[in-house]
Amino acid sequence: MKAVLMLFALVLLALAGVIGVQRANFVRQAVPTSGIVVDIESRNARCGRKPRRACTKFTAVVEYTVANDTRRMRTGAGQSRGRDEPESEASYDVGDAFALRVHPATREALPDSTMGLWGLPIMLGIGGGLFAVFGLWGVGRRR
């Protein structure tokens, strides 16, 4: 069991490192810009811990321009308890400005926020660290 936990830890920590380096390169080369929320999409889902409850998840469609090339990206815009909730419950409204970082060569865009840029490598690193702690110390201890 410890070997499996340590394997998961190594995989997650390696992924966190690779993605972290990619994001650092992206941030170094990307240009801060802003886009405009042009649409809010919604879908019914199940949210929360057990018991899972009905909810509506929202996605903001953000339009941005780089070198006369107009592009769109999607980003999370929150959720609301209940099915078929109105779009006014979303975190963003159509027409809102949205801060982005755009890579000039690839035109790839990410939200210009700590979680938008670093959330994935941070979460992978935390998960890998927890698996490592349990693999080295917590699991398999006998009384």
Side-chain angles (χ1 to χ4, degrees):
M1 185 67 163
K2 285 185 178 186
V4 172
L5 289 174
M6 290 306 294
L7 179 64
F8 281 145
L10 289 175
V11 168
L12 290 176
L13 291 170
L15 279 172
V18 168
I19 294 171
V21 168
Q22 288 175 342
R23 293 289 168 95
N25 288 333
F26 175 86
V27 168
R28 190 178 67 247
Q29 297 173 0
V31 178
T33 188
S34 67
I36 301 293
V37 176
V38 294
D39 192 20
I40 302 291
E41 299 172 348
S42 63
R43 66 179 173 84
N44 291 322
R46 307 285 293 168
C47 301
R49 299 182 188 265
K50 291 182 182 178
R52 295 176 65 82
R53 58 179 165 40
C55 73
T56 304
K57 290 188 175 184
F58 300 101
T59 303
V61 179
V62 179
E63 192 170 86
Y64 61 98
T65 303
V66 178
N68 296 325
D69 183 21
T70 301
R71 298 210 166 201
R72 289 184 171 199
M73 68 169 274
R74 288 174 163 56
T75 188
Q79 63 189 27
S80 181
R81 184 175 275 185
R83 297 178 97 45
D84 300 318
E85 291 296 312
E87 292 176 358
S88 61
E89 295 288 321
S91 303
Y92 304 103
D93 293 319
V94 172
D96 284 354
F98 192 88
L100 299 167
R101 282 196 176 258
V102 179
H103 193 284
T106 64
R107 295 183 171 86
E108 175 189 4
L110 289 173
D112 193 7
S113 66
T114 302
M115 286 308 289
L117 295 170
W118 301 107
L120 181 59
I122 288 171
M123 292 300 141
L124 288 171
I126 289 171
L130 288 174
F131 274 114
V133 166
F134 287 124
L136 290 173
W137 177 74
V139 174
R141 293 185 100 185
R142 303 225 171 163
R143 293 183 185 195

